[in-house]
Amino acid sequence: MKPVAEDPSSWQEVPLFDTLRQQAALRDELFAALAKVCDTGRYVLGPDCAELEKSLAAYCQVPHALGCASGSDALLLALMAYDIGPGDEVLMPSYTFFATAGAVWRLGAKPVFVDIDAITYNIDAAKIAAAVTPRTKAIIPVHLYGQCADMAAINAIARRHHIAVIEDACQAIGGEFDGRRAGCLGDVGCFSFYPTKNLGGIGDGGLMTCLDDNVAAKLRILRVHGERQRYHHQLVGFNSRLDSLQAAALNVKLPHLDRWTAQRATNAARYTELFSQAGLADCLGLPTASPRCRHVWNQYIVRVPGGQRDALREHLTTRKIGTQIYYPVPLHLQECFASLGIGPGSLPETERAAKETLALPIFPELTADEQRAVVAGVASFFGAHTSQRQAPPRPKFLDATTASNAKHR
Ligand SMILES: *Cc1c(COP(=O)(O)O)cnc(C)c1O
């Protein structure tokens, strides 16, 4: 690693995301696919969407995959398929994106928040059983940052209490638990194609996966106002369809997803190595992959204890290094859920993660030089002396080992 020069003109700008780099390589193919949609006049659902659903059903190891307008809608439709409504309780983590709880709230049901595991940041399976009541109808494990929750433990509890399992897999397409893919691990899997997800569209989009034929049939009509047959409404659904333009773009991108995931894993392994070489592994809680999971690294999250997280972020921002805080306010402390009456201190690991975690750039096209700039920026925060240490040259064969380990995470 190069010594940190405190000369601002040498600071390398590193974005948190850069969707344009990915798009540049596919530009001609993407534009041709979009032009074809324009020319055929099939703008909503249609053949491009059917093709995507077929490919993603295979990719997620499920018989049914259904496009919809967003990951948020996928959650809402999944809950509607299980008739979740007023009087019902739905278990979920509080340390997640808002949509997980928003969907439950919009149906008049009550989100019941369970604390997270300090290492994986996923819902703590050991704390779920104590939160189950006779009103519990579903559980939404969120596969946060690209790593699946402990689905063996979660499914065991769900079976015992006859509650539905709705996977929020928005950050974990291609993720695996015990060799099985996210989306086939519960009753319904919910995915998002928001541009910063691992499979990102050129706008909003979402998908639901499921194993059961009856649930699939219900989801299929709920996304078109509950229509069984044109203008004959069996259920009250709403309009949540996938645009053909999004489906066409995603059909171009899907064949590259596994390569992009491997690049994310390589980047994660490289950070871990660079931070260790710089002697920073003790100042930062580095993310780990459970041996039971294929982690797809939607985010690379470090933990900065001792109240230094915000100062580190500011330090990196000055150096033009993009970072983000996911999620600064846990859901149980959000203003809109004040009526639940859950005060600070009730979910200690959730609240600690909200104060200590920081996301660093990890997108597939991130270069090794950019990663070195990020590590140098962090090193200069913790004391320039750590960053002055020259790392020994790395034998070639170790790079191969790291890459293959990364692939099998
Ligand atoms: C992105 C995301 C969603 C919502 O997806 P949208 O397509 O943006 O509506 C839901 N849950 C989690 C965990 C997410 O990361």
Side-chain angles (χ1 to χ4, degrees):
M1 198 173 75
K2 284 192 208 117
V4 172
E6 285 302 303
D7 165 19
S9 67
S10 73
W11 290 338
Q12 184 179 359
E13 186 167 350
V14 186
L16 182 62
F17 303 111
D18 187 350
T19 51
L20 291 180
R21 288 189 208 179
Q22 186 164 97
Q23 235 128 260
L26 300 173
R27 195 170 187 275
D28 293 344
E29 210 184 329
L30 270 174
F31 278 35
L34 300 180
K36 203 172 143 209
V37 173
C38 292
D39 290 343
T40 55
R42 303 283 300 271
Y43 301 142
V44 176
L45 297 173
D48 297 282
C49 185
E51 183 190 331
L52 181 72
E53 289 174 340
K54 190 159 170 262
S55 310
L56 282 174
Y59 190 81
C60 298
Q61 306 172 341
V62 289
H64 306 287
L66 294 156
C68 63
S70 67
S72 302
D73 275 6
L75 289 161
L76 189 61
L77 290 161
L79 291 163
M80 288 172 74
Y82 283 87
D83 299 314
I84 307 290
D88 297 337
E89 294 178 356
V90 179
L91 305 176
M92 71 180 72
S94 165
Y95 183 64
T96 173
F97 179 59
F98 182 78
T100 320
V104 170
W105 191 269
R106 281 181 60 188
L107 293 172
K110 182 178 160 189
V112 174
F113 299 113
V114 177
D115 210 358
I116 53 165
D117 175 83
I119 304 295
T120 62
Y121 303 114
N122 279 325
I123 193 166
D124 186 343
K127 292 186 181 140
I128 296 171
V132 174
T133 76
R135 291 176 299 282
T136 308
K137 288 287 160 58
I139 174 164
I140 311 182
V142 180
H143 304 323
L144 204 67
Y145 303 141
Q147 175 158 247
C148 289
D150 183 348
M151 293 306 290
I154 290 166
N155 283 331
I157 295 165
R159 264 194 297 276
R160 204 176 320 131
H161 297 281
H162 306 286
I163 59 183
V165 178
I166 294 167
E167 292 176 76
D168 183 338
C170 289
Q171 300 183 6
I173 192 162
E176 291 175 12
F177 183 85
D178 284 352
R180 293 172 61 220
R181 286 264 155 105
C184 82
L185 300 164
D187 293 300
V188 180
C190 301
F191 294 88
S192 165
F193 304 124
Y194 186 74
T196 60
K197 310 290 173 164
N198 285 24
L199 180 63
I202 49 170
D204 277 315
L207 186 92
M208 305 162 286
T209 54
C210 76
L211 301 167
D212 186 273
D213 295 347
N214 295 323
V215 174
K218 205 164 168 187
L219 291 169
R220 187 181 292 280
I221 66 170
L222 281 169
R223 69 176 174 174
V224 288
H225 286 296
E227 231 175 39
R228 171 73 74 201
Q229 175 192 339
R230 200 80 175 116
Y231 303 124
H232 291 73
H233 300 265
Q234 186 184 1
L235 298 167
V236 180
F238 62 105
N239 164 15
S240 182
R241 301 170 299 215
L242 184 63
D243 277 8
S244 301
L245 282 173
Q246 295 309 327
L250 293 164
N251 282 328
V252 170
K253 288 185 157 197
L254 180 58
H256 303 279
L257 179 58
D258 282 330
R259 182 170 52 83
W260 292 332
T261 300
Q263 287 173 329
R264 286 175 183 274
T266 299
N267 293 348
R270 187 181 291 126
Y271 267 139
T272 299
E273 185 193 321
L274 290 172
F275 280 128
S276 303
Q277 282 174 359
L280 290 168
D282 295 335
C283 321
L284 297 172
L286 301 179
T288 53
S290 150
R292 296 181 82 169
C293 292
R294 179 197 190 213
H295 196 320
V296 296
W297 299 100
N298 178 245
Q299 301 292 346
Y300 187 89
I301 301 293
V302 295
R303 190 191 272 278
V304 192
Q308 295 191 93
R309 190 264 317 264
D310 293 344
L312 171 61
R313 184 172 193 221
E314 218 165 281
H315 182 87
L316 294 174
T317 303
T318 306
R319 279 158 181 71
K320 296 183 274 184
I321 292 168
T323 60
Q324 187 53 275
I325 295 168
Y326 302 110
Y327 296 90
V329 182
L331 299 187
H332 69 284
L333 301 178
Q334 293 287 346
E335 187 182 345
C336 62
F337 296 140
S339 63
L340 291 172
I342 315 168
S346 50
L347 298 172
E349 286 304 336
T350 298
E351 291 167 34
R352 197 160 73 87
K355 288 194 182 82
E356 295 183 346
T357 55
L358 187 67
L360 304 178
I362 183 133
F363 60 94
E365 300 77 15
L366 186 71
T367 67
D369 272 349
E370 287 175 318
Q371 287 193 272
R372 283 184 207 105
V374 173
V375 173
V378 174
S380 72
F381 176 80
F382 284 107
H385 62 281
T386 49
S387 64
Q388 302 289 341
R389 197 187 304 158
Q390 198 75 35
R394 187 174 162 78
K396 263 269 173 306
F397 72 89
L398 277 180
D399 287 321
T401 315
T402 308
S404 74
N405 280 348
K407 210 175 295 168
H408 294 296
R409 270 156 192 273

